[in-house]
Amino acid sequence: TQKRAKNLLSSQKAIKIDHSTIKLLYTKQAWKEVKKNIIKDSGRICYICGRYIDDTATIDHVTPSSRSNYANIYSNLQCCCLECNHDKGSRKISEYVDHIEKHRFKYLHISDEQIKKLKSFALFHDYEFNSNKKNHIHVKKSRSKKYKGEVK
């Protein structure tokens, strides 16, 4: 339906091909596979706090999807524990590092060494993401869906 197409476009799960066609960027199955690969590649280590994650591993958009149309590119996705992902919310990683430093007493579980790593990562990621985002590949291109009528 048009309503579903609009929702897919606004949630950045699809791109508009023409007035009546959208292309899904990834299917539910593809997303599960990507999530599994990112968690596996990270060794189940949270990129923010550096702790091992048992069953609650999540995927964090380093630059939040609410702040970029390119948030679903693979290089913007990191393994993250539920606590850090929830706490980071819709902040960019550089903003979150500043927040951690400002409220250091609340984040004693994150070592000073890990904060240094995060600062370096944030600088690199912000530069890389902003200068090269159009050259990155979205998580997975998928099938096209046709909808009757115009999709705005």
Side-chain angles (χ1 to χ4, degrees), residues 19 33 35 38 43 50 66-67 71 74 88 101 107-108 117 132 144:
H19 74 282
E33 194 65 29
K35 180 179 175 180
I38 290 170
S66 62
R67 308 219 3 221
Y74 198 86
K88 178 179 165 277
E101 289 184 314
Y107 298 94
L108 297 176
K117 287 180 185 177
N132 297 321
S144 292

Side-chain angles (χ1 to χ4, degrees), residues 7-27:
N7 286 339
L8 289 168
L9 289 168
S10 67
S11 65
Q12 302 163 5
K13 293 180 180 176
I15 56 174
K16 189 173 178 178
I17 303 297
D18 59 36
H19 74 282
S20 64
T21 308
I22 66 171
K23 185 171 187 172
L24 294 175
L25 296 176
Y26 51 84
T27 62

Side-chain angles (χ1 to χ4, degrees), residues 4-16 22-28 30-31 61 65 68-72 138-145 147:
R4 182 165 188 269
K6 287 178 184 177
N7 286 339
L8 289 168
L9 289 168
S10 67
S11 65
Q12 302 163 5
K13 293 180 180 176
I15 56 174
K16 189 173 178 178
I22 66 171
K23 185 171 187 172
L24 294 175
L25 296 176
Y26 51 84
T27 62
K28 285 183 183 180
W31 176 250
H61 291 84
S65 53
S68 173
N69 290 333
Y70 298 94
N72 287 324
H138 282 272
V139 172
K140 181 160 182 168
K141 301 265 178 189
S142 182
R143 63 189 188 276
S144 292
K145 287 255 184 184
Y147 292 93

Side-chain angles (χ1 to χ4, degrees), residues 70-77 129 132-133 136-139:
Y70 298 94
N72 287 324
I73 59 177
Y74 198 86
S75 63
N76 191 48
L77 306 172
F129 185 76
N132 297 321
K133 61 189 170 188
H136 288 285
I137 298 171
H138 282 272
V139 172

